[in-house]
Amino acid sequence: MKEITSSKNEWIKTIKKLHRKKHREEMQEYLIEGFHLVEEAVNHSAAIRWILVTKRGVNEWKEWLEEQDTEIIVLVSDEVMKSLSDLPTPQGILAVVGMPTISEELKDSFTGSWLALDQVQDPGNVGTMIRTADAAGFTGVIMGEGAADIYSTKVLRAMQGSHFHLPILTGDILEMIQAFKTQGSAIYGTELNDEAVEYTSIEPQQNFLLIMGNEGNGVRQDILDQTTKNLFIPIKGKAESLNVAVAAGILMYSLKK
Amino acid sequence: MKEITSSKNEWIKTIKKLHRKKHREEMQEYLIEGFHLVEEAVNHSAAIRWILVTKRGVNEWKEWLEEQDTEIIVLVSDEVMKSLSDLPTPQGILAVVGMPTISEELKDSFTGSWLALDQVQDPGNVGTMIRTADAAGFTGVIMGEGAADIYSTKVLRAMQGSHFHLPILTGDILEMIQAFKTQGSAIYGTELNDEAVEYTSIEPQQNFLLIMGNEGNGVRQDILDQTTKNLFIPIKGKAESLNVAVAAGILMYSLKK
């Protein structure tokens, strides 16, 4: 097993750069931390490049590590782990994972239930919505321009591995809408006001696209103009609005057959 | 208008202590920050003790401030505001608010729809659930032992003023369950497994108590033993579970008539 004890090691420095979006995109790789996420990555055949583990971690996950390809396991000192970790007390395991390539075929023929995020900015909200889409049995998620980067630590933490379970595409939502329409799927936008249709009036269905918008501004008007219907969730009390991830959960579970 | 320019001022130091739970409980007061929350507090007749505002804030919210009791407005320097603020760039206004006293009558006769939180620990989850209860038209919220403190900055931020809209009681959930049963209300626990009833099988109703549990462990078994029925939300994809605040939103909107 390869061993690295200094956080000044050049290879470690390169890996550390994966905390920045620019470098993740250049290298087409990202970091995941904690045993649960690393295990999920292996179980769902993600492209794992390296598993970095501390001595204590080797003892703790001994059996599991023995089942992995030893060529990609690197033993690191606590100091190295700390320099790479995003947590106050690192668990002692992280992995470098290659970003998945999305087949072009998928982009041309959308079937099933999809969630699109238009400029949703809070990483916790983005991660939670992808996790909910997974739980609700959605087919995939579309990240429009201006949405939080799904490979940032905060989104990865909130997703809890759901990005290993369903495809997450990036692209222009207006273009995607046309592709969905070609398939005959309904497109549902969401509005923060009641100039829309109450969500409970829509029957559960299998093929549709649900679009959630920015925390403050909602879905962009040019997108709302292209939908089949725009939905709202009634506010019965004195709150001004719902948290976008909660609203997405209510809509996804109500719309999905 | 009273003016304070030094963050070493004794009165300012006392106010700063309100960032700690112990002192909030001793003084029965808490801090809110930002114009939106302060305005909500005034609109809902909260017991505002002091409004602290910077010179820039005085200009920005001039008209609104003129309508307030000038006796409680204190002009503070940017340095003082920074020492009290929890934000990287303070808006320039905060208020000291007295905690509400809950009438004993309310505790003896629960009617309507209530949400109870059993050991929910993440402040963002707690705040979001209270905001959703408000939006869904719930009557009130019960904080069981071990739940995050609702007067902490993070919970206040996620609640977005909903604690001014509906009563939030603190107490022993098992005792509260008995009071609800006396009123003839149904008690719904939530389970993370499918040893429970699917939530869609419950008809929307007006009088009930919904209990949400800890992020990792769910609702305590001794509470689950006392419920009318325990509910679950089906997981149709590969996610292990839903975020508790999302689950609470789906259940509240589905159960509430």
Side-chain angles (χ1 to χ4, degrees):
Chain A
M1 204 185 294
K2 203 170 146 184
E3 186 170 347
I4 300 178
T5 54
S6 164
S7 59
K8 292 195 181 90
N9 175 292
E10 285 304 316
W11 186 73
I12 295 294
K13 280 192 200 165
T14 315
I15 287 179
K16 207 170 172 177
K17 284 185 186 166
L18 292 176
H19 282 294
R20 277 180 282 162
K21 187 179 176 186
K22 195 188 145 207
H23 288 274
R24 285 196 291 271
E25 283 176 357
E26 267 175 32
M27 296 159 89
Q28 287 292 301
E29 289 174 346
Y30 65 100
L31 279 175
I32 51 174
E33 183 165 5
F35 181 69
H36 182 70
L37 268 185
V38 178
E39 190 186 27
E40 278 281 286
V42 169
N43 290 350
H44 294 279
S45 312
I48 300 187
R49 309 268 192 261
W50 301 101
I51 296 173
L52 284 75
V53 62
T54 59
K55 208 169 272 177
R56 207 150 41 104
V58 171
N59 289 327
E60 192 165 346
W61 303 295
K62 202 174 186 337
E63 279 178 45
W64 184 85
L65 284 165
E66 279 167 5
E67 290 164 15
Q68 310 311 316
D69 175 7
T70 50
E71 295 277 305
I72 62 164
I73 301 176
V74 182
L75 185 66
V76 298
S77 64
D78 289 344
E79 184 215 338
V80 170
M81 183 55 72
K82 203 153 191 184
S83 79
L84 292 174
S85 171
D86 201 56
L87 300 171
T89 45
Q91 264 192 39
I93 188 162
L94 49 80
V96 177
V97 185
M99 291 183 187
T101 48
I102 304 289
S103 92
E104 284 304 313
E105 229 167 79
L106 192 63
K107 287 198 191 183
D108 291 338
S109 75
F110 288 110
T111 51
S113 324
W114 287 74
L115 171 72
L117 305 185
D118 174 37
Q119 302 182 82
V120 181
Q121 273 161 355
D122 180 82
N125 284 339
V126 168
T128 302
M129 285 193 270
I130 295 173
R131 176 180 170 195
T132 309
D134 179 9
F138 270 51
T139 313
V141 178
I142 294 163
M143 305 294 289
E145 280 166 52
D149 178 21
I150 60 160
Y151 296 111
S152 72
T153 317
K154 282 182 187 169
V155 176
L156 286 165
R157 202 173 300 150
M159 279 196 295
Q160 298 209 352
S162 284
H163 67 299
F164 298 129
H165 307 158
L166 78 184
I168 302 174
L169 315 186
T170 305
D172 182 333
I173 294 181
L174 282 171
E175 272 177 33
M176 303 271 189
I177 286 177
Q178 295 317 314
F180 274 90
K181 281 188 175 168
T182 312
Q183 303 289 321
S185 292
I187 320 286
Y188 298 114
T190 46
E191 283 196 84
L192 302 175
N193 53 54
D194 49 12
E195 279 176 30
V197 170
E198 197 170 324
Y199 75 103
T200 46
S201 70
I202 308 291
E203 287 295 313
Q205 48 203 272
Q206 272 164 346
N207 298 306
F208 65 93
L209 170 66
L210 169 68
I211 308 168
M212 301 301 301
N214 174 271
E215 286 84 352
N217 307 319
V219 178
R220 274 159 39 204
Q221 191 57 49
D222 55 345
I223 291 177
L224 290 178
D225 291 343
Q226 296 296 322
T227 55
T228 314
K229 266 182 186 161
N230 293 321
L231 312 179
F232 82 98
I233 300 175
I235 302 291
K236 298 166 190 166
K238 295 179 199 133
E240 282 177 16
S241 62
L242 285 163
N243 164 280
V244 67
V246 171
I250 293 168
L251 294 174
M252 284 192 262
Y253 266 88
S254 178
L255 292 174
K256 178 88 174 81
K257 197 179 198 167
Chain B
M1 204 185 291
K2 205 171 143 183
E3 186 171 345
I4 300 178
T5 54
S6 164
S7 59
K8 293 196 180 92
N9 175 291
E10 283 305 316
W11 185 74
I12 294 294
K13 280 193 200 161
T14 316
I15 288 179
K16 208 172 171 176
K17 284 185 185 165
L18 293 176
H19 281 296
R20 277 180 281 163
K21 186 179 177 186
K22 195 187 145 208
H23 288 274
R24 286 197 291 271
E25 283 176 356
E26 267 175 31
M27 296 159 88
Q28 287 292 300
E29 289 174 345
Y30 65 100
L31 279 175
I32 52 174
E33 183 165 3
F35 181 70
H36 183 72
L37 268 186
V38 177
E39 190 186 27
E40 278 282 286
V42 169
N43 290 349
H44 294 279
S45 312
I48 300 187
R49 309 268 192 260
W50 301 102
I51 295 172
L52 284 74
V53 62
T54 58
K55 207 168 273 176
R56 208 152 40 107
V58 171
N59 289 326
E60 194 164 345
W61 302 295
K62 202 174 183 345
E63 280 178 43
W64 184 86
L65 284 165
E66 279 168 4
E67 290 163 16
Q68 311 310 317
D69 175 6
T70 51
E71 295 277 305
I72 62 164
I73 300 175
V74 182
L75 184 66
V76 297
S77 64
D78 288 345
E79 183 214 340
V80 170
M81 183 54 72
K82 204 155 188 178
S83 79
L84 292 173
S85 170
D86 201 56
L87 300 171
T89 44
Q91 265 193 37
I93 189 164
L94 49 80
V96 178
V97 185
M99 291 184 186
T101 48
I102 304 290
S103 91
E104 284 304 313
E105 229 167 77
L106 191 65
K107 286 198 190 183
D108 291 338
S109 74
F110 288 109
T111 51
S113 323
W114 288 74
L115 172 71
L117 304 185
D118 174 38
Q119 302 182 80
V120 181
Q121 273 161 354
D122 180 81
N125 284 339
V126 168
T128 302
M129 284 194 269
I130 294 173
R131 176 180 170 195
T132 309
D134 179 10
F138 271 51
T139 313
V141 178
I142 294 163
M143 305 293 291
E145 282 166 52
D149 178 20
I150 60 160
Y151 296 111
S152 71
T153 317
K154 282 182 186 167
V155 176
L156 285 166
R157 202 172 301 150
M159 281 196 294
Q160 298 208 351
S162 284
H163 67 299
F164 298 129
H165 307 157
L166 78 184
I168 303 173
L169 316 185
T170 305
D172 182 334
I173 293 180
L174 282 171
E175 273 177 32
M176 303 271 191
I177 286 176
Q178 295 316 314
F180 274 88
K181 280 188 175 168
T182 311
Q183 304 288 322
S185 292
I187 320 287
Y188 298 114
T190 45
E191 283 195 85
L192 302 175
N193 52 55
D194 51 12
E195 278 175 30
V197 170
E198 197 169 322
Y199 75 104
T200 46
S201 69
I202 308 292
E203 287 294 313
Q205 49 202 272
Q206 273 164 345
N207 298 305
F208 65 92
L209 171 65
L210 169 67
I211 308 169
M212 301 301 302
N214 175 271
E215 286 84 351
N217 307 318
V219 178
R220 275 158 39 204
Q221 192 56 50
D222 54 347
I223 291 177
L224 291 178
D225 291 342
Q226 296 296 320
T227 54
T228 313
K229 266 181 186 161
N230 293 322
L231 313 179
F232 82 98
I233 300 174
I235 302 290
K236 298 167 191 167
K238 293 178 201 138
E240 281 177 16
S241 62
L242 285 162
N243 165 279
V244 67
V246 171
I250 294 168
L251 294 174
M252 284 193 262
Y253 266 87
S254 178
L255 292 174
K256 178 86 173 80
K257 197 179 199 166

